[in-house]
Amino acid sequence: MKPGLSGPSGEAIRKRAVAGLPAAGRSPMGRYRVLGYRLVFRMIGSISTLLLAAAGMLAPSGEEARIADFLNDYRAAHGLPPIPYSPTLARVAHAHARDLEDHNPDSGTDGDGRRCTLHSWSAASGATPVCYTADHARAQLMWSKPREITRGAYGGQGFEIAARYSEGIDADIAFDLWRGSAAHNAVILEQGRWAGTGWRAMGVALDGRYAVVWFGKVPDPAR
């Protein structure tokens, strides 16, 4: 499956998020369990965080930095290396998060009545519009967005995970949603069809109800 909370395994999670219902694992006992997991991730992932800091690759401060830390700590707990932060892919992430928040391209349908998912872009974004449907028929229009948005500064394709929470999203909610989805775990941890991907760049953005992360196989040229 392509990244996104639009496939069968992520649909129930997405419905809970859109409806403003608590994310999976946010009951009192579940919350303690999540906190325990995060403590372990922090301990195991401390080396990766230090490596990123030494390389000057930490994400910007705030919730976006926390998402980058959560993802790299989670990878470290599974024996995977950290993904360098990419200012160039962050530009793409911010452009898409703002488009989702301001223009809601994920709320429409295409000419055949198929629902547009979180990977959709509106015409108002200034980029080529795309109604990204669950059958991934227009995947190339999403994968090519880094080249389009950065005007070729990032030459590789981009792959996105996205989440929406109707009451306003933060790093904790986004991470819980992605960690609770088999499709998103596969992207983050390079499992299944993503095995051996070797992500070389990552950009993060949060805007209102939306959180997005873009991954790339090509290192950020700005680095």
Side-chain angles (χ1 to χ4, degrees), residues 3-5 96 100 118-119 160-164 178 184 210-213:
L5 291 182
H96 195 205
L100 287 166
L118 292 174
H119 300 312
E160 178 187 55
I161 59 174
R164 176 179 183 266
W178 291 326
H184 291 77
Y210 295 90
V212 301
V213 180

Side-chain angles (χ1 to χ4, degrees), residues 1 4-25 115 118 164-165 176-178 180-184:
M1 289 184 64
L5 291 182
S6 54
S9 63
E11 187 62 25
I13 297 171
R14 184 178 188 278
K15 287 179 178 177
R16 290 171 66 85
V18 171
L21 297 174
R115 185 172 62 83
L118 292 174
R164 176 179 183 266
Y165 196 78
D176 283 351
L177 289 170
W178 291 326
S181 163
H184 291 77

Side-chain angles (χ1 to χ4, degrees), residues 31-74:
R31 189 176 298 111
Y32 294 138
R33 189 177 301 113
V34 169
L35 290 173
Y37 288 152
R38 289 199 181 124
L39 178 59
V40 173
F41 296 157
R42 288 290 179 186
M43 293 173 64
I44 297 176
S46 60
I47 294 177
S48 67
T49 301
L50 289 173
L51 288 172
L52 286 173
M57 294 180 181
L58 280 176
S61 61
E63 293 299 294
E64 292 170 4
R66 293 183 67 225
I67 284 184
D69 287 345
F70 281 161
L71 295 180
N72 275 327
D73 290 350
Y74 189 42

